Structure formats: C-alpha cells, structure tokens
C-alpha cells in the first residue's frame, strides 16, 4: 500500500485542481483493494513501486490520490492534479498518465477507466472542437434532421472512377455526406490524388443535378504528418470550402495526429474514426476504458465529429445506455456519465456519428434514442445493398427520414414510394435484427 497516494478525506472539487477518474479495479489474488488502488494512483502520476530518494516536497504535492472506494463494486475514485499534464492541452499526454503504464501493472487482473470529470480550470487549456455539426448543416442547408451519409463500399478494392461513381450515386439519390471507409488511403489501385480528382467531378455533377450541396469526408491518415498535410492540402485545392471533412483514424493514427489536424485546419470538419477502439472499450475486456470516457477525450482533442456507436441497434457491440451516454458526452453542453455530470463550460459540441449495420428502417429507432437531430448517420451496406442500387438506397434513406420528421408510420409512408417499400421488404428479410424495429 502506498499511503501518500490515499486521502479519503479529500474534497476533490476544491479549487478546480483535480481531474477525477473512476476505475473498475480487480486486484490480483491476495492483494488488498485499497492498496492496489493506491498503486494505480502512484503509477499514473508521480510514483513508482517504491519511495524514491529523488522526490521533493513539490513533487509530493502532485500525487494522484485515491479519495473514495467501493470495494463491493470494485470501484476506485482517483483525483489527478491536472497540473501534471502537458501545458499544451495535450490529450496524448493526459492519456499517457491516466491510462498508460497502469494497464501493464502486475497487481491488477482488471483495470478500466469508466468515467471522468474535468473542472473548468482544466478545460480552458484544451482545444475542443472548432468546426461543428452546425457549420456543416448550415453549409448543406439542413435544419431539423440529421445529416444522411454513407460509407463507400466495398471497404476496399474500387478504382478511382468506380469509387467516385459510388459517391455520385448516393449524392444523386438524395444523400448528403459520403465518407472514406477507414482503411481507404493511397493504394496502388486507387491513388489518392486521382481519387480526389474523380470525387471532385462527381460532386460537381451531383450538385448541378440535385441543386443541393454535398460533403465528402476524406481519410488523411498517413505514415507521417508531412504526408497527412500533403493529402489535406490536395483535397483543399480540389474541393470547395465546406464541401469536405478530414477523417483521421484517431486510435490507430494516434491522438497527436488528431490534434495536429485540429490545429492545422481549424476551419475543416474533423472526423474522428475510432477503428481499433474495441480493444479498449468492449465490456468483456478487463483492461481498457469505456466508450463515454474515450468520447470525452475525443471532444477534448478538438474533433468535430466522432463515431459513438449505434446503441445496440446495428451490428456493432454496444449498449443503448453507454452509446447514448457517449453521444451526449460528445454533443451536449452538460452530459451525465456513469458517476459524474460534466459541465463543458462552453466548449463546443462534437457531433455523434452512427455507423455499423444501420439501414433506412433503423433510422427512426436510433434517432428516437439519441434525442437530437445533430448527428450524422453513415449507412454502408444499408444503402448500397438496396435491390435498386445505391441511388435508390439513398432515396429510401431520405424517404425514411422524411417519414420520421413528419411523424408518419414507415410502412404507411412507403405505400406510394417504391424505393422505401423495397428497402423495408429487403432489410427486414435479410437483416434479422431489423424486423423487431419495424412499426
């Protein structure tokens, strides 16, 4: 037990000095719970496994402190003096402390960061989003509905002209937003610059035909920051301001890549794709962090939008409780977590992005759960597998959205709309979990 890292009488809200984190902790057999929690506090702040002679009075006042425990539920509350974090508003550095080395500790068999809370004094040092969903919706001319999007499918393998044709088909059918699937980059069969050239032409054609503006989210994740910049600047040279977003694979490319993009292009919608997050966030994983915790870090880092799950409705693992909690942590001025209520003190909201097994029938169930129209839905197979093709899949999605907006039963609205009627029949037969959500 490391007693200097325990203060069960601490007032953690005093003076705005502490970031608070709740951990689920399961000690190794034979280890005391409070002692193990104190080891977590030590390892994630100033300490080691032993008291070191190089410590000073000043370094001692920077200890993380266990200030509350619930041993029956295996929960430990730890207060971090946020003064220990990099002064640059560096989320990478924060995570290196809080969920870094502690995951390798031999004293624990389970350790998950479940929830966190940050004072106003700390939040002022972090970027937060610059460009928001409001900016995108204003560009698109959208008010009281979500942004309707898709992912180019197949996931990989289309050549540049084929790739752009998928975008055109979706846009021409009434869709708003198309995104690169997260692995699409600069493959030999689809060179990045050539693909952007084709997308620019397809977008122009779709906008002229529909009279509506369109948006493309382009993956700029790359081996190094210089190449990220090259890709971003090429997109800027080919597409109109407002018509593109920059997608960064925030887990695999890293938090620094994400914050680099936020700071270099603050006027561009920054799309945080969370590929790889399941290694940390799936509930069956003993080591990691929750989806709401990760989402709060995404908002801190300045992402404009972030995937937050489909609340158990689509194909991806997730629960309505945690995914909706994450969506609210992303977007709302105040958000309720598992153990804390976070006031974001004016930090702009980050848009929830819903993807993974959704289709037009499932739009209403998700929209009703999330409780806002400020989200982006990106349906891949739920659009491109429509028996009439991508354009009709996009039309069916738009029709499903209109039915939801107008409060009309989906099957009723579909009676004289062939695209939606076909989608209902197809998806309720082909996707088992869809049928239970049909009104």
């Amino acid at each position: 037990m490391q007693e200097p890292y325990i203060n069960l009488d601490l007032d953690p809200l005093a003076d705005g000095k502490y970031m608070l984190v709740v951990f689920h902790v399961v000690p190794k057999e034979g280890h005391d719970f409070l002692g193990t929690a104190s080891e977590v506090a030590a390892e994630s702040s100033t300490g080691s496994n032993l008291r070191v002679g190089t410590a000073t009075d000043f370094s001692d006042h920077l200890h993380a402190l266990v200030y509350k425990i619930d041993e029956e539920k295996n929960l430990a509350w730890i207060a971090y003096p946020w003064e220990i974090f990099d002064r640059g508003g560096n989320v990478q550095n924060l995570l290196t402390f809080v969920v870094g080395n502690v995951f390798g500790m031999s004293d624990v068999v389970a350790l998950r960061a479940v929830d966190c809370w940050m004072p106003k004094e700390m939040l002022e040092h972090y970027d937060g989003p610059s460009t928001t969903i409001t900016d995108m919706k204003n560009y698109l001319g959208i008010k009281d509905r979500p942004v309707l999007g898709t992912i180019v499918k197949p996931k990989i393998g289309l050549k540049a002209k084929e790739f752009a044709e998928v975008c055109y088909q979706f846009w021409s059918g009434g869709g708003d937003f198309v995104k690169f699937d997260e692995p699409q980059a600069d493959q030999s069969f689809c060179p990045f610059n050539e693909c952007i050239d084709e997308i620019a032409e397809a977008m122009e054609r779709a906008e002229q035909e529909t009279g509506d503006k369109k948006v493309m989210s382009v993956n700029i994740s790359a081996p190094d920051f210089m190449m990220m910049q090259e890709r971003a600047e090429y997109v800027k040279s080919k597409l109109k301001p407002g018509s593109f977003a920059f997608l960064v694979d925030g887990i695999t490319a890293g938090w620094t890549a994400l914050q680099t993009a936020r700071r270099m292009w603050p006027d561009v919608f920054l799309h945080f794709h969370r590929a790889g997050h399941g290694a940390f966030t799936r509930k069956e994983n003993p080591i990691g962090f929750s989806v709401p915790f990760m989402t709060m870090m995404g908002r801190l880092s300045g992402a404009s939008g972030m995937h937050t799950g489909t609340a158990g409705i689509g194909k991806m693992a997730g629960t309505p409780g945690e995914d909706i909690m994450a969506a609210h942590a992303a977007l709302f001025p105040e958000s309720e977590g598992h153990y804390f209520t976070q006031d974001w003190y004016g930090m702009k909201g980050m848009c929830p992005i819903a993807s993974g097994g959704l289709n037009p029938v499932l739009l209403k169930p998700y929209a009703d759960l999330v409780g806002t129209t400020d989200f982006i839905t990106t349906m891949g197979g739920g659009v491109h597998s429509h028996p009439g093709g991508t354009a009709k899949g996009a039309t069916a999605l738009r029709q499903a959205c209109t039915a939801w907006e107008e409060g009309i039963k989906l099957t009723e609205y579909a009676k004289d709309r062939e695209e939606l009627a076909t989608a209902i029949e197809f998806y309720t037969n082909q996707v088992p979990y869809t049928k239970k959500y049909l009104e």
Side-chain angles (χ1 to χ4, degrees):
M1 182 177 294
Q2 299 217 38
E3 292 184 359
Y5 296 87
I6 302 170
N7 184 351
L8 299 180
D9 296 320
L10 178 72
D11 178 1
L13 303 180
D15 304 322
K17 290 171 54 177
Y18 295 104
M19 174 187 178
L20 311 180
V21 181
V22 181
F23 285 95
H24 179 258
V25 184
V26 179
K28 193 173 183 179
E29 187 175 355
H31 288 243
D32 171 73
F33 183 83
L34 181 58
T36 301
S38 73
E39 295 288 353
V40 172
E43 183 62 40
S44 58
S45 61
T46 61
S48 183
N49 61 322
L50 296 171
R51 172 71 178 175
V52 295
T54 48
T56 66
D57 289 342
F58 180 79
S59 69
D60 284 348
H61 100 279
L62 297 176
H63 293 341
L65 298 168
V66 180
Y67 70 92
K68 179 180 176 181
I69 61 170
D70 184 337
E71 193 166 350
E72 287 186 5
K73 295 182 179 178
N74 289 98
L75 296 174
W77 283 252
I78 298 179
Y80 291 86
W82 59 263
E83 189 180 359
I84 66 178
F85 304 142
D86 189 337
R87 288 187 297 171
N90 182 350
V91 175
Q92 171 272 326
N93 177 260
L94 184 162
L95 293 173
T96 299
F97 276 105
V98 176
V99 289
N101 265 4
V102 288
F103 286 167
M105 290 175 56
S106 63
D107 294 0
V108 298
V109 295
L111 182 65
R112 288 173 60 81
V114 179
D115 199 2
C116 67
W117 178 86
M118 295 155 286
K120 180 176 184 288
E121 293 82 353
M122 175 182 167
L123 288 176
E124 289 173 347
H125 293 267
Y126 289 80
D127 294 345
S130 175
T131 301
T132 68
I133 186 61
T134 301
D135 298 311
M136 181 182 290
K137 290 174 84 169
N138 286 341
Y139 177 80
L140 290 168
I142 291 172
K143 290 185 179 179
D144 298 323
R145 69 168 177 86
V147 174
L148 304 180
T150 193
I151 311 159
V152 175
K153 297 291 184 178
K155 184 181 284 281
I156 203 72
L158 295 180
K159 297 181 179 178
K161 188 173 286 293
E162 296 167 333
F163 188 100
E165 180 62 19
V166 173
C167 301
Y168 166 76
Q169 290 294 326
F170 182 76
W171 286 326
S172 66
D176 307 307
F177 175 98
V178 181
K179 67 173 280 287
F180 275 41
D181 216 338
E182 67 278 0
Q184 184 77 32
D186 185 29
Q187 282 83 3
S188 60
F189 50 81
C190 189
F192 184 87
N193 289 2
E194 182 183 342
C195 189
I196 298 303
D197 292 344
E198 295 288 352
I199 288 168
E201 188 279 329
M203 181 182 287
E204 179 67 25
R205 187 158 41 108
E207 289 183 341
Q208 288 183 358
E209 291 177 10
T210 64
D212 297 323
K213 291 180 178 177
K214 308 296 179 182
V215 174
M216 185 77 206
S217 183
V218 180
N219 189 2
I220 61 166
S221 306
D224 56 64
F225 296 139
M226 292 75 74
M227 190 170 290
M228 279 180 62
Q229 184 174 9
E230 287 177 15
R231 293 178 184 178
E233 294 300 332
Y234 193 78
V235 173
K236 289 179 65 179
S237 74
K238 293 293 181 176
L239 298 176
K240 301 183 294 292
S243 72
F244 58 88
F246 289 152
L247 184 152
V248 175
D249 291 316
I251 301 297
T252 55
W255 296 89
T256 300
L258 190 74
Q259 289 196 268
T260 297
R262 160 64 176 84
R263 295 181 179 187
M264 291 190 73
W265 304 288
D267 296 332
V268 179
F269 189 95
L270 178 56
H271 180 164
F272 184 154
H273 194 286
R274 59 182 191 170
H277 79 93
F280 302 98
T281 62
R282 288 181 67 109
K283 286 205 166 186
E284 61 266 39
N285 295 349
I287 305 292
F289 39 74
S290 70
V291 170
F293 177 90
M294 178 185 67
T295 304
M296 293 174 78
M297 296 301 105
R299 185 169 179 173
L300 265 195
S301 70
S304 306
M306 182 177 181
H307 291 251
T308 55
T310 56
I313 291 174
K315 69 181 182 181
M316 307 304 282
T319 64
E322 279 228 329
D323 285 1
I324 298 306
M325 191 182 291
H328 292 180
L331 183 64
F332 288 174
E334 186 175 277
S335 56
E336 187 174 343
H338 286 289
Y339 301 99
F340 301 116
T341 297
Q342 178 68 57
D343 186 335
W344 288 93
Y345 298 102
M347 181 179 283
K348 291 180 180 179
M350 178 177 70
C351 173
I353 302 175
S355 64
L358 296 181
N359 61 60
V361 177
L362 301 176
L363 177 66
K364 180 184 185 300
Y366 178 78
D368 288 346
L369 272 175
V370 76
T372 179
T373 61
D374 284 339
F375 69 91
I376 300 171
T377 179
T378 52
M379 299 182 189
V383 167
H384 304 305
S385 62
H386 189 286
T390 294
K392 289 193 175 182
T395 301
L397 174 57
R398 191 68 176 265
Q399 291 167 345
C401 187
T402 301
W404 172 68
E405 289 178 273
E406 297 181 2
I408 302 172
K409 190 175 179 180
L410 198 64
T411 50
E412 184 68 27
Y413 196 75
K415 283 182 178 177
D416 56 354
R417 292 170 176 84
E418 176 266 337
E419 297 89 353
L420 182 56
T422 300
I424 292 171
E425 180 180 6
F426 179 77
Y427 292 113
T428 53
N429 286 326
Q430 295 295 319
V431 185
Y433 53 78
T434 297
K435 187 173 293 186
K436 68 179 179 179
Y437 292 104
L438 186 64
E439 296 173 316

